[in-house]
Amino acid sequence: MAIETINDTNVRGTGGEILVDALRRQGADNVFCVPGESYLAALDAFYDVPEIKLTVCRQEGGAAMMAGTYGRMTNTPGICFVTRGPGATNASAGVHIAWQDCQPMILLIGQVPREEFETDAFQEVDFRQMFGPMAKWVGQIDDARRIPEYISRAYHIATSGRPGPVVIALPEDMLVDVVEAPALTGYLPVETAPSDTQLEELRKRLQASERPLAIIGGAGWTQEASDDFKRFAHAWQIPVGTAFRCQDVYDNEDEFYAGDCGTTVSPDLRQHIEDADLLLVAGARSTHLTSPFKSLLGVPRTSQYFVHAFPGPEELGALTRPDLAVHATMPAFARSLAQMSGGTSDARAGWSSQVNQNYRRWSTPIECPGDVQMAQIIASVRDQVDDDAVFTVGAGNYTMWVHRFVRTTRVGSQLGPMSGSMGFSTPAAIAAKTVHPERTVIALVGDGCFMMTGQELSTAVQYDLAIIWIVVNNNMYGTIRMHQERDYPTRISATALKNPDFAALARASGAAGFTVTRTEEFQDAFDAARAANGPALIEVQIDPDAISTVATLSGIRKAALEAS
């Protein structure tokens, strides 16, 4: 049967049909899934709703990462369907990223029939206990008539305050019940704004400041919000840095850009942060400025006047006590700042100019050991694509080449896991190309990172998504090896990898594949990858000694041995 409209306020159908209708009414247009028998009734309902595109993935972790990326790019919940038990545990990797990265998403899990609850049934898991610590809310729909209520609540919770994941379990037999239920109306995003008193206090502090510095990032940024913050920075002559893996929230070519405050923070920028007399952090969580690298903020207090704006009140003061705490969504906060009358000064002009000059010097390509110069390759790729091109990364030292040498200018043009999860780049690239098929998408992955979710290359082939993968292959888990060389020199274990021929693997999957062993080979490979007009992969074999943008393995080992 198909869902039936009873009147202006009610519909009738199976639980699966009412669920899919509720998602449609909330504006869902993409669903990422791995099919399972536990939610066959919902899959059947999607057959009659072609306006919702189903992207069928190869593993639930990849599907959940795609949904979280969709949420980050659109500021609306990404939707993911998986089956119970093993499917849900696989998906937990994506839920954890969505939680730590503040990505709005809704994970819908098929569940055992209601009569089998608490019998240790086949693939049964108590999802409230499993997902409770890493989701904003975990629910289970036992009555199909309440589906619209649960979906409405899920959308509002996922997007309000600190955005994040919601998990809902769907008992298999509930989805086949035929019921009459309310016809859902669209959700209303909640926006919070700074008070006039807070804005006046900030204005006074800025007027008295000679060395202010802003760090922005996190969730909820739009292009309009970024443009508003840029107007504010220009009016007040404030250099603007970006939080860990959030470089795209501010125009890196702007004269007031300070640089990346993540793992590739420059020594100069770290010193500028210490020297600032006013520090404004907007949208970034405190942990994104304290880990996985040395703290940029004092805990529990900073030495400078500290302003922290964040959409969830629970984050304000969680690690570092702010002198001015502002509970606001980023669009509302940036809009208010853009309307704040500015005050220029010679001191701030000289300060911001120095900060920006140091960033431009730091982001100029450098040489590294070996026949492949990654900085040169990454910079050349950036120069050849449009400003709205999307670069995705996972986790690992290879990401530093992107963070340091790619200058982004538009929101949504660089996607990486603030949670530090490996395997993110490939699913993120697929989600980005699904949301914006007209944009160039470049997925930077390490060899270890690619092998964690590389099976989703077949998903890109299935949907003919013209993504270009650049696999940086040094035949090891590079970040861990770097730490081993520093902490346990000459005692290296468990970090070496014997990899497949990635280019041949791509071709076997139906994508184009190329191998680069020298810098001068890359341009021809990149041209061929673009000309393929479909999924393409370039394996770049880099010297293992070129472990990062700031050090070599041999140099780290030598320093460790000399210090021991």
Side-chain angles (χ1 to χ4, degrees):
M1 64 176 289
I3 195 164
E4 176 187 359
T5 300
I6 303 300
N7 50 46
D8 291 340
T9 58
N10 283 30
V11 294
R12 180 178 177 82
T14 66
E17 290 165 338
I18 290 171
L19 173 63
V20 172
D21 182 67
L23 293 173
R24 178 185 64 82
R25 290 171 181 267
Q26 294 291 68
D29 57 2
N30 279 283
V31 167
F32 303 92
C33 73
V34 175
E37 69 273 20
S38 60
Y39 68 96
L40 283 175
L43 288 173
D44 178 71
F46 278 116
Y47 187 87
D48 294 319
V49 188
E51 57 265 45
I52 298 180
K53 177 184 177 181
L54 279 179
T55 298
V56 181
C57 308
R58 300 308 176 99
Q59 205 257 14
E60 291 87 357
M65 293 178 199
M66 292 179 205
T69 302
Y70 177 99
R72 179 171 171 180
M73 294 198 77
T74 65
N75 290 315
T76 60
I79 308 299
C80 181
F81 273 78
V82 301
T83 196
R84 61 200 176 208
T89 53
N90 284 341
S92 64
V95 174
H96 181 258
I97 294 171
W99 170 251
Q100 290 228 324
D101 287 25
C102 305
Q103 299 171 344
M105 71 170 287
I106 300 172
L107 176 67
L108 296 143
I109 307 172
Q111 177 60 297
V112 301
R114 288 166 290 189
E115 64 181 12
E116 297 181 15
F117 287 172
E118 299 183 359
T119 66
D120 196 20
F122 177 64
Q123 298 184 336
E124 181 183 9
V125 174
D126 184 337
F127 295 119
R128 288 189 177 92
Q129 290 194 53
M130 175 180 169
F131 286 104
M134 66 175 96
K136 291 190 70 178
W137 175 52
V138 183
Q140 178 168 294
I141 307 177
D142 294 325
D143 184 345
R145 292 171 296 183
R146 297 184 66 186
I147 289 173
E149 169 198 338
Y150 272 71
I151 295 302
S152 176
R153 182 178 178 186
Y155 266 79
H156 283 91
I157 290 177
T159 58
S160 299
R162 168 184 170 170
V166 166
V167 177
I168 298 179
L170 309 167
E172 182 178 347
D173 56 329
M174 180 276 297
L175 290 173
V176 298
D177 286 347
V178 178
V179 299
E180 185 174 322
L184 189 59
T185 55
Y187 76 104
L188 296 174
V190 177
E191 187 173 67
T192 52
S195 69
D196 292 341
T197 301
Q198 291 172 323
L199 291 172
E200 178 59 22
E201 174 65 17
L202 177 57
R203 187 185 65 79
K204 290 179 180 178
R205 291 288 179 171
L206 286 172
Q207 283 182 328
S209 171
E210 293 186 349
R211 299 180 307 280
L213 194 144
I215 302 175
I216 67 176
W221 287 91
T222 63
Q223 188 60 52
E224 182 180 5
S226 178
D227 293 341
D228 281 339
F229 203 93
K230 184 176 179 179
R231 281 189 282 272
F232 161 71
H234 280 239
W236 287 90
Q237 299 170 305
I238 299 177
V240 180
T242 49
F244 184 41
R245 294 194 168 132
C246 294
Q247 284 142 284
D248 62 319
V249 301
Y250 195 85
D251 180 1
N252 296 182
E253 296 288 1
D254 183 61
E255 62 184 297
F256 287 92
Y257 185 56
D260 167 35
C261 298
T263 53
T264 53
V265 60
S266 71
D268 285 332
L269 181 52
R270 180 178 290 278
Q271 187 63 53
H272 291 320
I273 294 171
E274 293 179 4
D275 292 342
D277 57 15
L278 184 150
L279 190 61
L280 167 60
V281 175
R285 295 173 51 217
S286 297
T287 51
H288 291 159
L289 297 171
T290 56
S291 66
F293 38 86
K294 291 183 179 179
S295 175
L296 293 176
L297 301 180
V299 178
R301 288 189 58 87
T302 62
S303 59
Q304 58 272 92
Y305 189 84
F306 178 42
V307 181
H308 194 187
F310 194 79
E314 72 284 348
E315 181 65 28
L316 299 171
L319 280 180
T320 301
R321 179 192 178 279
D323 296 287
L324 179 61
V326 181
H327 176 206
T329 54
M330 291 307 98
F333 183 61
R335 188 164 55 246
S336 297
L337 295 183
Q339 297 169 358
M340 183 188 298
S341 56
T344 60
S345 74
D346 291 340
R348 283 200 297 272
W351 160 256
S352 59
S353 177
Q354 178 188 5
V355 173
N356 180 254
Q357 288 174 17
N358 287 337
Y359 160 70
R360 293 186 180 277
R361 183 166 52 250
W362 177 253
S363 60
T364 300
I366 59 171
E367 290 189 4
C368 67
D371 294 329
V372 170
Q373 297 297 313
M374 278 306 303
Q376 180 181 328
I377 286 175
I378 293 299
S380 71
V381 170
R382 182 65 191 94
D383 290 342
Q384 294 176 71
V385 297
D386 295 334
D387 287 344
D388 65 354
V390 181
F391 288 80
T392 69
V393 296
N397 273 21
Y398 75 90
T399 65
M400 295 183 182
W401 303 103
V402 177
H403 296 324
R404 182 170 172 182
F405 300 115
V406 171
R407 296 179 182 176
T408 62
T409 59
R410 294 185 58 79
V411 173
S413 57
Q414 187 182 120
L415 303 171
M418 290 173 267
S419 67
S421 176
M422 292 181 69
F424 178 82
S425 183
T426 292
I430 291 171
K433 196 66 175 178
T434 300
V435 175
H436 294 293
E438 76 286 357
R439 294 169 69 171
T440 299
V441 177
I442 309 290
L444 268 292
V445 290
D447 47 328
C449 196
F450 181 76
M451 291 299 288
M452 291 193 174
T453 53
Q455 68 271 18
E456 300 301 345
L457 175 63
S458 295
T459 303
V461 171
Q462 180 168 339
Y463 295 101
D464 195 26
L465 301 177
I467 298 165
I468 298 176
W469 277 262
I470 300 176
V471 180
V472 184
N473 181 13
N474 60 4
N475 291 297
M476 62 183 172
Y477 287 120
T479 302
I480 311 307
R481 174 65 181 275
M482 177 186 69
H483 292 311
Q484 282 183 332
E485 294 284 8
R486 184 192 63 201
D487 297 334
Y488 304 98
T490 75
R491 297 178 59 82
I492 304 305
S493 65
T495 50
L497 296 173
K498 186 173 183 178
N499 288 314
D501 180 333
F502 290 109
L505 182 63
R507 292 191 292 269
S509 301
F514 312 92
T515 302
V516 169
T517 60
R518 302 180 64 85
T519 305
E520 54 267 28
E521 298 170 352
F522 181 81
Q523 188 60 56
D524 286 345
F526 187 62
D527 290 341
R530 300 182 79 180
N533 292 320
L537 182 149
I538 305 171
E539 176 186 346
V540 179
Q541 297 177 1
I542 189 171
D543 191 319
D545 200 35
I547 194 62
S548 79
T549 66
V550 295
T552 62
L553 273 186
S554 57
I556 294 170
R557 184 187 310 121
K558 180 181 179 182
L561 290 173
E562 289 176 348
S564 62

